[in-house]
Each structure stands twice: as C-alpha cells, then as structure tokens.
Amino acid sequence: MNATGGSSKRRPRSLRDLPKIDRSSDTRDVLAHAAKDAERLRDYFIIDIDAHVTELAFWSEITNLIDSDVYRHIAAEMRQRSAAIPALMNLQPGLTYQGLAGRIPHDDGPRENAAEPGVHPQVVLTRRAMDSMGIDYMVVFPTPMLQLGMHPQPEVEIELAHAFNRWMTETVLPQDQRMKGLVYLPYIDPEAAEQAVREFGDKPGVIGFTVCSTRYKPVHHNSYMRLYAMMQELGKPLAFHAGYHWGDPAMLQINRFIGMHALSFVQFNMLHVTNWVLNGMPERFPKLKTVWVESGLAWVAFLMQRLDAEYVMRSSEAPLLKRLPSEYIREMYFTTQPLETGNLKLTEAIFDAVNAETQLLYSSDWPHWDFNPPNSIADLPFLTEQQKRNILGLNSARLFNIEVPKKKLAVPPAAPGKAG
Amino acid sequence: MSEILVGAISEFPDNDYRILDIDGFEVGVFRRGDALYVYENRCPHFGGPVCQGKVLKRVEERLSETQASRGLRFAGDEHIICPWHGVEFDLKTGRNFGHAQYRLRKIPARIKDDEVYLDIPE
C-alpha cells in the first residue's frame, strides 16, 4: 500500500487502549513515558534535590500538630468553615493557575488513589514518582507554604513551620529512607529559626535547612548571624527555595501568570544572592554551603557578569569581598529546574559559568507544572558522561553526605495503563 | 512500515479520541466525522504522553480597531494538549502555534470497508 515503505499488512500482535490523563490519574500512568526513558538510566545514581509534597492534602494532620492550642483551635474552626480555603494560609493569586486551567492535571492534585496499607499516602505518591522517573532519592519541599514568608502574621509562620517540621520528621520521612527533607526555617523570626535547627537538625532523613525565600528579609541582617553559625557548625547546607509573589509591587503590573512566574522566582533569588555576596557572607561563613533553588540558570550568568562589572568600580561598597562576586557565586550550588534550553549554545555557556560539573544539582520540581524529568540532563548534547553523572546525583551526594548505593534504589513501576 | 488494522470505525466515537498501544508503539486517534487525525503519542518538548491529554479550543486575544485588547476567547480550532507541561498542538495539523520546531509525528491512517488502518513504523 505504501510506494516507498515496502510495507506489510497485518493485525497487531497486541493492541490496548491507554487511559486519558485527568486529575485522578495514577502518577505511574502520568509518568509512564518517563519510566521508559529511565530504562536507559538504570546505571545512573539520581538524586532529585527539589520535589514537593502536597501538604494541603494532609492539612488537618499538619495543623493538628500546631504547638499553640489557640492556633490549633483557630485552624480546626477554619477547616470546618471552608475546605476550599486552607486554614491559616496566605494563599497567593497564582497558585490556582498552576495547572493551566485543567491542561496539566498533575498540578491540580493529588486526587489519585494512594491508599496502601501501613503507608502514608504522601509516601506512596512520592515513591510512585521516584520509581517512575528512576530517581533514587528525592528531597521534598512544601508547596503553598513556600509563600509563608509573605504572611502578615509572623506567629503563624512560626507555628506552621514547627507543625510541618514535626509532620515531616515524625510521619513522612521515617517511612522511606529514599525521601529526604530540609528543615523549614521560620525565617521571619531568627530565634525561632535557631530553635528549629536545634530541634530538627539531627532528625533522621534531614539533610539540611531551607529558607522559603519569597520574602522581604535581607539575608545579611545581623540577627541571622547566630543562625548561620549554627548551620555551619552542623555541616549541613542551607537551601534558599525561591517562589513567586504576584502581590509584589513590581509584579502587580503583569497581567498573565506566565510573565509573573517567569520573573518573580528569579527576582527573589537575585535579590538574596546579591545581598549574600556583596555583604561578604561567604567570607563570614566560609564552610556554610548554600543552594539556590528553582529559577533555572540563565539569571546566574547575568548576575555574575553584572555584579563583577559594578564591583570593579565600586569595591569600596563591598569591602568584605576578597575576590570578584562571580568567584563566590561559582562556589555556590544551583538546581537545574526549570532548565532553559531554547538556545543550547547559551545553555552550554551558562553551565560553564556556574561550574556545573561540580556545583549543579538535578531537580525535577515534581509534581508541579514545569517539572523536568532526568532526561532533561541526560539528553544534553554538550555534557560529558561524567558531567551528566555528577549533575544527576554525584554532586548532591557529595554536598549532602549521601552514600551512593551499590545498586539502583529506584524500582521500575507497573506497566503503563495497568497502574493502581 | 506496516499497515495495521486497529478496528472498525464504529469503535472510534466521533468527536472523541482513543490512545492505542500497538505492539509497543503508541498513537492517538482523533476522529472528526469521516476524518481521522493520528499522531505518535510522544511530545517533542520532553517526551510526554501528548495524546493522553485534553483537547481544548485554541485561545485567542481579540483586538479592537485601535489595537486595544478586547479580552480572551476560545477560537474555533482545536488543540491537543500535552498533560505534562501544557504544550499545545493543532488537532488537524499537529503543529504548535508559536514554535515552528514543535510538531507531532503524523501517522498515516485510512478507512477501508469501515475498518481503520494505520501505517505504523517497524
């Protein structure tokens, strides 16, 4: 029938329908193609340094752990009044746009059946994602709590941070050693953040600390020096996880989520890195390793060039620096997602600028709408084999002191369409 | 290339779509009246299961004579939307509206004697 193809006519040996993907789809069905792609990465050790739990799905569990009986009572009352508005939270405009009006169902969930005897549903969901993408360890951050830094009530961030840290270290992390967590620091209050380091810093599964950095708190403020010293002493990294804030005065003039999201994440990372470097924090805490999470990488190259150009003229305004700003930035750690690959020559140059071979950490951001599977790194044509292995797992293993297992921990999931 | 019989046309509801795994090769079959639009179920963006996503009308922004925006509306043509990241493709052409390099792989299809045949790569 085909003049050029030399075709043959036959019935299929096997024929089956695949499911349409909607909000209740099983993660293993959604990620079935990732599982196929992961087959060729079976001898890679992969750590995903930035994935997320969906804490609002378990909000009653978390708010029941609030230390203050008054706020625990308020949360319980709020939950009874409205399930749509999570108790105590400062939900930002934008969160409800994440799933692109139903086009990206996995960011509107989870609504799949995650019931397994004796296993917390969040652990079930994370395992399904890890195994589907061939990820050996997954570091999980919260989702809407990323924006708690903009909450008008400091005591609410402190209470929710403590409750979330308890939920993570008592309920979630003990169930699966492949899940790792970072202590949520209630950065609004340095003393409360120090208490979080003391209380949770050594819990099993905790590999570092995080500041949800969507906030207007200068990272160089003197009130944080004791906090940084404590983390440096413990030898665990500090990760600044960016986020967006559509209510920011600059962002208020952007009318589409796409524009706000593209800029607002980067805005906070740029602000905090600039303050961190120009105030000489790497000189004050030379052993405190910092990770800057979730803004892609293009901004880093811009900031290195920009700060260097101005520093050579105005070094008197940054007297703690002994080297160019870019030299300090090259010693920081950055995460890959959302990776910009529209111009691969640019991408390659940026990888070189940030010293990706040793400083870049693979991150998926699963289950969010702009997630990157591991092949986002494995398929980059300009990386050597060793560079791919470093970025996908070995750099994180070294930074977070995670032992590289002798055999792969991720287990291939059930076949597509047969999950559940 | 093999011409594969995948079923009777009556098994493919009008104005709907099915996603088939044929000997390990995945396709989406979109029926509109007597026409079939068939694409490989793999998104050129990151390899997502594009045909398993939603079909929605293309969004357009209407402008006044003075080029002032008159807001967003759904247009008439349909888009196949990859559920991984929301990348959209015209249902009839397989092309992405704004990115010329993003295009779905078209699979030749025909209806003969009320049966549906697809040309599946070996």
Side-chain angles (χ1 to χ4, degrees), chain A residues 65-174:
Chain A
L65 294 173
I66 289 175
D67 195 42
S68 158
D69 51 0
V70 173
Y71 277 105
R72 200 166 57 244
H73 166 77
I74 293 172
E77 283 296 315
M78 287 179 170
R79 286 202 311 269
Q80 285 185 3
R81 237 175 294 148
S82 170
I85 304 172
L88 293 172
M89 285 296 290
N90 59 323
L91 290 191
Q92 303 276 340
L95 267 181
T96 47
Y97 279 91
Q98 293 252 142
L100 202 46
R103 291 170 177 83
I104 310 174
H106 60 79
D107 206 343
D108 286 335
R111 300 185 191 184
E112 68 189 273
N113 180 5
E116 287 185 12
V119 188
H120 192 279
Q122 181 60 67
V123 177
V124 172
L125 293 169
T126 304
R127 279 181 186 165
R128 287 177 182 174
M130 284 193 288
D131 286 340
S132 293
M133 291 192 279
I135 290 166
D136 297 293
Y137 289 100
M138 194 175 249
V139 180
V140 287
F141 288 82
T143 294
M145 286 179 68
L146 289 172
Q147 298 175 328
L148 268 181
M150 293 298 181
H151 202 294
Q153 297 173 279
E155 64 268 35
V156 169
E157 183 182 17
I158 295 168
E159 293 291 345
L160 288 177
H162 189 260
F164 179 78
N165 287 332
R166 279 193 61 193
W167 181 72
M168 284 292 291
T169 58
E170 295 173 12
T171 304
V172 176
L173 296 183

Side-chain angles (χ1 to χ4, degrees), chain B residues 47-91:
Chain B
V50 55
C51 297
Q52 290 172 260
K54 281 191 172 181
V55 173
L56 286 176
K57 298 281 178 66
R58 177 171 65 83
V59 173
E60 64 177 10
E61 182 161 7
R62 295 182 180 169
L63 301 178
S64 73
E65 289 180 358
T66 63
Q67 301 300 301
S69 175
R70 288 290 173 258
L72 305 180
R73 298 286 187 279
F74 281 116
D77 37 344
E78 295 180 292
H79 280 185
I80 301 166
I81 301 168
C82 183
W84 270 15
H85 301 101
V87 183
E88 303 194 16
F89 302 90
D90 186 283
L91 187 144

